[in-house]
Amino acid sequence: MATINTYLSFMGNTEEAFEFYKSVFGVEFVGGIRRFGDMPNNELMSDADKRKVMHVGLPIGPGNFLMGTDALESMGQSLTFGNNFHISISPESKEEAIKLFDGLSSGGTVTSPLEETFWGAYFGAFTDKFGVQWMVNYLQPVNN
């Protein structure tokens, strides 16, 4: 069965917020801090946007993560209180990812289609018909 975590969005201060959360929970980031500058094809992105946080994860208890990102105004993203978080689902298989994505997004609005990503996941995002924002992120096994 899938695990569910909270994914927070900030307007440029994700790193500050997560350094604070890290100090409170006394744990280290998983995988460090990934920045938008780490993305492929980022040549048109401003230097300021390249320094912003694309993803950070903080383990809080067994199997639970608090995750975060900076919203980029240059990409048309904005935040208001109430739309600054997603429920992030980590399914155990690609089939489960498709089932959950298709089921939960039915009647809603897909903001990122379910597809292969450069970070090795099968990922998609949507707002369901009740206005709740979701992410589905299946981390595919690495073939050696």
Side-chain angles (χ1 to χ4, degrees), residues 2-77:
T3 58
I4 295 179
N5 295 288
T6 303
Y7 209 104
L8 304 174
S9 297
F10 297 87
M11 289 303 295
N13 62 337
T14 299
E15 187 167 2
E16 177 185 0
F18 271 76
E19 287 292 344
F20 170 73
Y21 300 145
K22 179 176 140 181
S23 73
V24 171
F25 288 104
V27 294
E28 294 298 319
F29 300 133
V30 173
I33 296 176
R34 295 184 187 165
R35 302 191 183 278
F36 283 99
D38 299 331
M39 292 175 47
N41 305 317
N42 65 13
E43 299 81 22
L44 299 178
M45 191 175 285
S46 73
D47 287 340
D49 280 354
K50 286 179 184 179
R51 288 189 296 275
K52 290 184 179 173
V53 175
M54 182 185 76
H55 175 78
V56 62
L58 196 62
I60 302 175
N64 298 306
F65 287 88
L66 181 62
M67 297 178 282
T69 189
D70 281 318
L72 297 181
E73 290 182 81
S74 63
M75 296 179 74
Q77 300 169 342

Side-chain angles (χ1 to χ4, degrees), residues 96-108 126 128-129 136:
E96 185 181 21
I98 293 167
K99 177 185 175 197
L100 293 170
F101 185 91
D102 289 349
L104 288 167
S105 67
S106 178
F126 57 90
D128 72 18
K129 63 184 175 183
V136 175

Side-chain angles (χ1 to χ4, degrees), residues 125-142:
F126 57 90
T127 302
D128 72 18
K129 63 184 175 183
F130 303 103
V132 176
Q133 297 181 113
W134 296 83
M135 296 176 176
V136 175
N137 191 66
Y138 168 60
L139 287 175
Q140 302 179 85
V142 177

